[in-house]
């Protein structure tokens, strides 16, 4: 069970994009990395290919460490806990006690 999942809204809490919010695009559980929309943008030099026939310099998101983001619930960054409801393990916002999913 993961604390942060794809399509969650998260807030970056450290680094060059501190206080930015974005949607989670991808979670790499083995490496503990996360891809957040519009955060940690890097410049890549791309050769011409089928998707980009011109090639050139492109901006894209790079992975962040999962410890550098916090889940946003009701506009407030919060830690995540777990509890059992109706025989299912569910995520709970520590700040409000609200069930997330």
């Amino acid at each position: 069970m993961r604390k942060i999942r794809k399509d969650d809204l998260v807030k970056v809490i450290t680094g060059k994009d501190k206080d930015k919010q974005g949607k989670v695009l991808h979670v790499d559980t083995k490496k503990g990395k996360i891809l957040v929309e519009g955060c940690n943008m890097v410049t890549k030099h791309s050769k011409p290919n089928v998707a980009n026939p011109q090639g050139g310099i492109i901006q894209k998101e790079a992975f962040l460490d999962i410890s550098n983001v916090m889940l946003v619930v009701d506009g407030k960054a919060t830690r995540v806990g777990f509890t059992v409801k109706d025989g299912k393990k569910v995520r709970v916002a520590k700040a409000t006690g609200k069930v997330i999913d």
Side-chain angles (χ1 to χ4, degrees):
M1 196 78 162
R2 299 185 310 234
K3 293 186 176 187
I4 296 178
R5 299 181 186 160
K6 187 177 176 182
D7 295 329
D8 281 345
L9 184 65
V10 294
K11 179 179 183 178
V12 180
I13 57 173
T14 186
K16 67 179 184 181
D17 290 323
K18 184 176 179 175
D19 295 329
K20 277 192 182 177
Q21 288 188 6
K23 191 174 85 166
V24 176
L25 301 174
H26 181 74
V27 178
D28 187 346
T29 53
K30 290 194 189 300
K31 294 182 181 175
K33 302 285 185 179
I34 192 168
L35 203 61
V36 180
E37 185 177 49
C39 293
N40 200 25
M41 299 299 284
V42 294
T43 304
K44 299 280 287 181
H45 295 266
S46 167
K47 285 187 175 180
N49 57 29
V50 178
N52 187 5
Q54 184 65 34
I57 300 171
I58 58 169
Q59 291 278 336
K60 65 181 280 183
E61 293 97 354
F63 281 93
L64 289 166
D65 198 86
I66 203 160
S67 65
N68 294 342
V69 298
M70 286 182 86
L71 187 67
V72 175
V73 179
D74 298 332
K76 187 176 181 182
T78 180
R79 292 179 295 144
V80 180
F82 293 98
T83 188
V84 177
K85 282 251 171 130
D86 303 325
K88 289 188 76 176
K89 188 176 175 183
V90 292
R91 296 185 298 169
V92 175
K94 291 271 191 171
T96 59
K98 182 179 174 186
V99 174
I100 298 165
D101 50 7

